[in-house]
Every structure is written in C-alpha cells, then in structure tokens.
C-alpha cells in the first residue's frame, strides 16, 4: 500500500518522531518530497509504503502525529529481490553483507552501512575508502 498526505503547517522537527513511529509499526519505507501547494505555499508530501495489514495502524499514526486532515491510500504492486545476509571476514574485520538474488542467481551484494561506519570510526579512515575496499573484497568473494 501507499499512504500519502500533503502537509504545509507542521513543525518540521516532528518528522523524525513520525518516521520512528511509522517504522516501529510496520512501515517498509517513509519519505518526504518538497512540494508547492495551493496558494503557492511550500509543503511536504509524506509517503509511506507498507503491507496492507499495517495500513490502518499507520494511517492512525499519521492522523495523530501530523497536522493532516486527510490521507490518500491505494494498493500498488511491488517486486523485490530474494535476499539474505552473510557475515564476511574482511581486512577490517567482520562485516554484514546483504545479498540480492534474481531467479535464484546472486546479482548484488553490499555491505551494511552501520558496519562500514563503525570501521571508519574505529580506524579513522574515511567511510568512502572503507566502503570501496569492502566492496572489492565482497566482489572477490561472491562474483
């Protein structure tokens, strides 16, 4: 399902709390898009992607935690890769890797951001250098 609403009169500091509540209650993704609303006022489009069984609970959160008076919602189709996680040993230590499969064939593998961030903080190296090196290591292991 897609749930969406336009907001032009809410304290932007509240969005972080809204995101947390939505994810805690089953949102698959939540994002904001800047828009221009009636009377040429700047506003924000809030979009929530969720499974149908979580839609009512998430609509309730949106009504309670935002200034909106209405929510649009509709069913959408979603195709996702089969996925699994591995823990691989890299020159920096263990890193979780998310792998995606299409028709049973591994087509992508990426390190988990939080693991790469922790290594960068621990070593003092830039996160981009760590990421590139871990990706090279993953490519050698899986491709």
């Amino acid at each position: 399902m897609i749930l969406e609403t336009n907001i032009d009169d809410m304290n932007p500091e509240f969005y972080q709390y809204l995101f947390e509540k939505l994810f805690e209650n089953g949102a698959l993704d939540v994002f904001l898009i800047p828009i221009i609303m009636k009377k040429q006022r700047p506003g924000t489009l809030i979009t929530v992607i969720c499974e149908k069984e979580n839609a009512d609970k998430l609509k309730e959160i949106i009504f309670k935690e935002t200034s909106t008076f209405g929510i649009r919602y509709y069913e959408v189709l979603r195709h996702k890769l089969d996925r699994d996680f591995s823990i691989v040993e890299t020159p920096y230590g263990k890193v979780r890797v998310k792998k995606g499969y299409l028709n049973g064939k591994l087509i992508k593998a990426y390190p988990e951001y939080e693991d790469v961030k922790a290594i960068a903080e621990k070593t003092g190296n830039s996160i981009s250098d760590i990421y590139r090196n871990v990706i090279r290591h993953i490519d050698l292991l899986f491709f």
Side-chain angles (χ1 to χ4, degrees), residues 43-78:
T44 302
L45 169 64
I46 301 172
T47 303
V48 178
I49 301 173
C50 66
E51 298 293 346
K52 191 173 187 174
E53 60 267 16
N54 294 324
D56 288 339
K57 179 172 34 174
L58 295 171
K59 285 188 279 185
E60 184 177 320
I61 291 168
I62 293 168
F63 278 126
K64 286 181 176 179
E65 301 298 344
T66 74
S67 58
T68 194
F69 279 77
I71 300 169
R72 294 176 298 281
Y73 61 97
Y74 46 94
E75 290 187 53
V76 294
L77 299 176
R78 181 173 180 240

Side-chain angles (χ1 to χ4, degrees), residues 35-113:
I35 57 174
I36 301 298
M37 297 178 55
K38 64 183 172 192
K39 301 179 186 176
Q40 292 71 52
R41 283 191 286 211
T44 302
L45 169 64
I46 301 172
T47 303
V48 178
I49 301 173
C50 66
E51 298 293 346
K52 191 173 187 174
E53 60 267 16
N54 294 324
D56 288 339
K57 179 172 34 174
L58 295 171
K59 285 188 279 185
E60 184 177 320
I61 291 168
I62 293 168
F63 278 126
K64 286 181 176 179
E65 301 298 344
T66 74
S67 58
T68 194
F69 279 77
I71 300 169
R72 294 176 298 281
Y73 61 97
Y74 46 94
E75 290 187 53
V76 294
L77 299 176
R78 181 173 180 240
H79 188 108
K80 63 181 183 174
L81 296 177
D82 292 329
R83 61 187 91 178
D84 67 20
F85 291 87
S86 296
I87 296 176
V88 299
E89 189 66 45
T90 74
Y92 304 104
K94 294 180 181 184
V95 174
R96 290 172 294 164
V97 175
K98 184 189 317 184
K99 298 182 294 184
Y101 300 85
L102 182 62
N103 300 321
K105 183 177 191 267
L106 179 66
I107 63 167
K108 55 183 74 179
Y110 296 108
E112 282 296 302
Y113 167 77

Side-chain angles (χ1 to χ4, degrees), residues 105-133:
K105 183 177 191 267
L106 179 66
I107 63 167
K108 55 183 74 179
Y110 296 108
E112 282 296 302
Y113 167 77
E114 293 297 333
D115 292 357
V116 173
K117 177 184 170 190
I119 292 167
E121 289 173 344
K122 180 180 175 185
T123 65
N125 294 320
S126 76
I127 195 166
S128 61
D129 285 344
I130 300 294
Y131 188 84
R132 275 194 306 272
N133 287 323

